[in-house]
Amino acid sequence: MKAQHSYTVTVEWLGNRGTGTSGYRDYGRGHLVTASGKHPIEGSADRTFHGDTERWNPEEMLLAALSQCHMLSYLHVAVLHGVVVTGYRDEATGTLALDRTGGGRFTSATLHPRVELADPSQAELAQSLHGEASEKCFIANSVNFPVRHEPLAE
C-alpha cells in the first residue's frame, strides 16, 4: 500500500469593507493563511488585481512552493550521492498568461538554484543532481506546466 499524507490549511478572507462584494473595487483582497502550529501568512491578490503589494499573493506562493520543494529534494539527493551542500539560494521566476475571459494559468516556471559546495571538485556531479531532484519533487510533479532548472555554478 502506498503511503498517503494529508494537509490542512485555512484561508480566511479579511477584505469585507462593509458592503461585501457589492462591486469589483468595493472589497479588499486581504486574507490570512493559517495551519495548526504555524505562523500565519498574510496574503492578498497581486497588485495588478487590486491586491496589497506588502502581502504574499497566490502566484508568489506557488513559485515559493516549487522552489522549496526542489531545494528540499535536491538536498536529499545530494546526501544520497555524498555531495556536501553548504549553501543554497534560488531566485525562481514564473510566467502567468491571462486569457480573454479574465482567467489564466501559469505557462512555465524556472528555478535558478545557486548551490555552494564543501568540495568544489564535485561541481559537475552537483549540477547533474537537479534532474533527479526534479523527479522527486512532489509539487513540480503536481503542476501542468514545465518547471525548468537553470542552476548557477558557484
Side-chain angles (χ1 to χ4, degrees):
M1 174 182 267
K2 293 183 180 182
Q4 290 187 335
H5 301 274
S6 299
Y7 303 91
T8 302
V9 299
T10 301
V11 177
E12 180 183 2
W13 176 52
L14 305 174
N16 185 350
R17 296 178 179 151
T19 61
T21 58
S22 59
Y24 185 67
R25 296 181 188 269
D26 295 337
Y27 64 94
R29 276 53 173 184
H31 56 272
L32 202 59
V33 180
T34 58
S36 180
K38 306 275 193 293
H39 296 285
I41 298 172
E42 294 181 338
S44 186
D46 184 19
R47 183 70 193 144
T48 302
F49 309 110
H50 306 286
D52 182 344
T53 59
E54 294 182 8
R55 290 176 172 239
W56 287 88
N57 65 57
E59 296 82 8
E60 291 168 329
M61 290 197 294
L62 176 61
L63 271 177
L66 286 165
S67 180
Q68 287 174 289
C69 186
H70 183 79
M71 177 192 69
L72 294 169
S73 297
Y74 181 85
L75 296 174
H76 171 71
V77 169
V79 168
L80 296 177
H81 290 273
V83 174
V84 178
V85 175
T86 58
Y88 186 106
R89 179 182 172 92
D90 180 19
E91 294 185 23
T93 58
T95 302
L96 175 72
L98 298 178
D99 61 30
R100 286 178 268 163
T101 69
R105 61 186 290 274
F106 266 81
T107 57
S108 69
T110 304
L111 308 181
H112 302 94
R114 183 180 302 261
V115 178
E116 297 174 24
L117 305 172
D119 181 359
S121 72
Q122 292 185 308
E124 189 174 324
L125 172 59
Q127 291 278 65
S128 74
L129 299 180
H130 288 285
E132 185 176 341
S134 181
E135 292 172 9
K136 294 185 181 308
C137 176
F138 309 135
I139 307 300
N141 288 323
S142 300
V143 299
N144 66 353
F145 55 86
V147 180
R148 297 180 182 90
H149 308 91
E150 296 177 2
L152 305 169
E154 277 292 304

